[in-house]
Amino acid sequence: MRLLRTSGILSASPLLQCPASRSALFVTQQGLRPQCSPAEAPIRHTTCHTVRSFTDSTPSQSTSTSSSNPTFSYRIGASFSAKGRRFDPKKDLFSFNAQTQITSGQDVFTGRPSSGQDAFFVSGAGNSSNVAFGVADGVGGWADQGIDSADFSHGLCQEMAKVTRELHSPDKKDLWPPFILGNAYQEIVREGKIGGGGSTACVAIADEEGNLKVANLGDSGFIHFRLNAVHHFSNPQTHAFNTPFQLSVIPPKILALSRLFGGKQLSDSPEDSNDSIHEVRHGDVLIFATDGIWDNLSTPELLKIVSRQMTGFHAWKTGQNGTTVSERIHDLTQEGGIPKQYENTLQTLLAVNVVGEAKAASMNTKRDGPFAKEVQKFYPHENYHGGKVDDVCAIVAIVVQNE
């Protein structure tokens, strides 16, 4: 049995032959266990979306704005908690308001919060009104090689924030997430300060016309809520069960072993990301999160959390015409809009609730979460039960039509 200690709670889980830590980098052909085929692979979400690789041509927008040309802003909050740390909703949060903070110069977050191998960034895009944000999740399997992927994931987010902040090109393709992801990754490789590691990434740019552009690489992802319903969700990219697509820096020693023993390393390209464009509306809620969220909370559970807060504070209201967006949403998403000392905006409160629920579920040995159900489906002999203890991180953006 393997003992897992986290937040002062001692729990036990079986030592999996199919490891709970996600696989990374280097395996020999003989050492790779038989995995489900792509057609059989567990899919966390099912939906139709546009899948594109970033090239010199920019994907066309699938929908157009209305003749009234409304403009939108994005009220953003984030929360996070590292594996093995007690979640503190008073400290493990971040709030970003594009309208007020960009003009005051506080247009980017590049710090390193106590979020373990999970990382995030929020930044204004150059001198435009666009805002970019995203999450990255260091792949834990690199620890087998003595490498902490936290350096890579946090470094990647810092570089993405830097690339975004310095965008001044009139070329719209530069405002595409794959451009930001690709340039940030190239800078990490060029600098050579990070000796090894790997990370997934889910990155977005949102503009005032209501266009949300997303690049998702690996098993981080996003979900889009609209008026008490799930409007869209992303699919994870995996090579095999619990082996996500990942950007990586591979040390020369690992490459030498690969050549010697005939194995191969997992190192994907930014161009392998699933790229899509979406139209957002007033009152929509977007959640971008690492797999610590998706492995412990199902889509219906996330909808329940979001609906409870949005309807409870009357940001969404239900009447004879169904569910609509309340005018209160403008005040609720401003600083001090929620009568709480810390999570005092609706978006920050949502982020704290999502992370808090995922953290609790990850340590619950009696409740089988999405990850446990996938293990039971494809590896029934493992007898895996409970949540999946992991770092957790979520960004919540509430879309508000400008008055």
Side-chain angles (χ1 to χ4, degrees), residues 123-152:
S123 175
N127 53 8
S128 72
S129 59
N130 300 347
V131 60
F133 49 91
V135 296
D137 184 1
V139 179
W142 282 85
D144 296 338
Q145 306 295 325
I147 297 172
D148 183 1
S149 283
D151 291 337
F152 188 94

Side-chain angles (χ1 to χ4, degrees), residues 204-281:
I205 291 184
D207 64 30
E208 66 178 2
E209 286 80 31
N211 300 308
L212 177 75
K213 306 163 188 174
V214 181
N216 186 40
L217 182 86
D219 60 1
S220 293
F222 77 102
I223 188 167
H224 180 181
F225 299 97
R226 177 173 293 167
L227 298 178
N228 250 351
V230 176
H231 185 66
H232 178 88
F233 40 77
S234 61
N235 284 310
Q237 292 178 306
T238 57
H239 293 284
F241 178 74
N242 211 29
T243 308
F245 281 39
Q246 57 197 266
L247 302 178
S248 60
V249 171
I250 303 172
K253 181 179 178 180
I254 301 298
L255 290 173
L257 287 172
S258 174
R259 289 190 293 268
L260 181 63
F261 293 104
K264 70 174 185 177
Q265 61 283 340
L266 299 180
S267 181
D268 300 293
S269 165
E271 292 186 352
D272 294 323
S273 63
N274 280 349
D275 306 331
S276 55
I277 183 169
H278 312 267
E279 180 190 31
V280 298
R281 296 179 184 174

